[in-house]
Amino acid sequence: MKFSNLYKIGWVLGIVLFTTASCKKDGNPNNLPEVSPDDYAGKVDGFTTSDEVFSKNLVAYWSFDDTKNEKISGAAPTATANDAFVATGVRGKALSLNAGYLYYATQFNTLKTDAFKSFTISAWVQILNNGSKRTMLFQLARPGIFTGNINFILNTNAFPATNTDELKINPTFTTIGGGTQDNVNTKRDNPGDVNYFPYLTPKIGMNKWTHIALTYNGTTGFFYIWADGIQIGAFSSRGTGNSLFKSYEPSEVIIGGNYNVIPGKAVNADANYAAMTGNIDELRIYNINLPDSHIKALFNLGKAGK
């Protein structure tokens, strides 16, 4: 069978076009919607503000923007001492304490035993060491008991006020077995040992906002300390079984102290803590352990005033 030259040329061109089309790579094989750089303008780590970070799991929040009320429940403090607002917060205003505290004789429903298994506590602070007393940044207190369900402890007693290069952070939590577990940013054994963990610490000062966070996983039992976006705790593995966290009821909230710094509320003679002197802002509590990237996002957003 004979074919005209015109037919032959058309047939060859068809093959070339088909081959070219077949070899062309599809840059969007899953047909995903196009993304514009404008969608991310002004965002930090994908967020416009800190309010967008796991907002559905935010169970308590103090903005300290001209209010001492907890924003989600609206709970007002039962008693306060030596507190004021300052205009130079991380985002808006901040709470300033001068040997002061906020005390909430309130059982927050979101912090009850069945609702509060894992947690993240995030706060910004301006603080100095004092060389003599510890500071309870936040306590989920147990009425009549010295040790709270969560004790966000700053060992401001460890160094003099002239030392702004180091801050010992030593939080604890109560367990289902009735005891406590802790973590601390300190050396674990000696360099070269199997369990050695380097000493990591944030810088502090009354002119520096420092971001500090705690995360706890109620399934694995891992308990982490974060400072300025870096994981710094040396004893993160707290085990399971009787070492898991339990939020005993009833509970109350104290910011800047424990019962022994509140007149008429002391439960024993322990005088290791003083009411807080320093500033605090953007105190947030979540009912999950936030992923590492989101802790870093809270830090970066705060630095950007968002």
Side-chain angles (χ1 to χ4, degrees), residues 67-279:
T67 179
K68 291 172 276 189
N69 291 3
E70 191 279 310
K71 299 275 285 188
I72 296 174
S73 67
T78 306
T80 69
N82 304 321
D83 60 285
F85 296 112
V86 292
T88 54
V90 171
R91 194 175 74 153
K93 294 187 178 181
L95 178 72
S96 180
L97 297 173
N98 184 11
Y101 58 82
L102 306 182
Y103 165 52
Y104 300 77
T106 301
Q107 172 64 68
F108 289 87
N109 290 330
T110 55
L111 305 183
K112 286 187 173 182
T113 306
D114 292 337
F116 200 50
K117 303 289 187 180
S118 299
F119 61 79
T120 296
I121 304 175
S122 168
W124 289 84
V125 298
Q126 288 180 324
I127 199 164
L128 292 172
N129 289 301
N130 57 58
S132 61
K133 298 288 186 179
R134 294 181 178 183
T135 299
M136 187 73 75
L137 180 62
F138 169 89
Q139 186 178 61
L140 185 58
R142 302 171 65 186
I145 300 176
F146 182 74
T147 302
N149 291 331
I150 299 174
N151 310 281
F152 202 150
I153 301 167
L154 307 180
N155 286 352
T156 46
N157 61 316
F159 304 103
T162 53
N163 187 340
T164 58
D165 291 326
E166 301 178 82
L167 177 67
K168 287 291 183 68
I169 305 169
N170 188 200
T172 72
F173 63 82
T174 56
T175 69
I176 60 175
T180 61
Q181 292 289 342
D182 74 332
N183 200 345
V184 65
N185 60 318
T186 190
K187 285 184 281 189
R188 184 174 185 173
D189 301 320
N190 300 304
D193 288 352
V194 175
N195 293 324
Y196 174 72
F197 192 95
Y199 175 46
L200 301 173
T201 178
K203 291 184 180 296
I204 57 173
M206 289 308 297
N207 294 315
K208 179 191 181 301
W209 280 108
T210 301
H211 182 241
I212 309 176
L214 309 178
T215 61
Y216 174 78
N217 187 317
T219 300
T220 66
F222 278 84
F223 185 37
Y224 293 113
I225 304 172
W226 296 80
D228 288 344
I230 298 173
Q231 195 180 109
I232 65 171
F235 297 88
S236 300
S237 177
R238 310 317 293 159
T240 56
N242 283 345
S243 293
L244 288 173
F245 166 69
K246 181 175 179 178
S247 185
Y248 290 90
E249 299 175 32
S251 64
E252 301 177 335
V253 167
I254 306 174
I255 297 172
N258 62 5
Y259 285 127
N260 283 11
V261 306
I262 301 174
K265 297 292 294 184
V267 297
N268 58 27
D270 189 301
N272 286 312
Y273 294 84
M276 180 175 170
T277 294
N279 300 329

Side-chain angles (χ1 to χ4, degrees), residues 56-59 110 115-120 285-289:
K56 292 182 179 179
N57 295 97
L58 184 67
V59 294
T110 55
F116 200 50
K117 303 289 187 180
S118 299
F119 61 79
T120 296
I285 303 177
Y286 300 84
N287 63 4
I288 59 169
N289 62 306

Side-chain angles (χ1 to χ4, degrees), residues 33-48 306:
E34 292 187 6
V35 176
S36 170
D38 294 338
D39 295 338
Y40 292 89
K43 292 192 176 184
V44 175
D45 293 341
F47 299 101
T48 302
K306 296 176 178 291

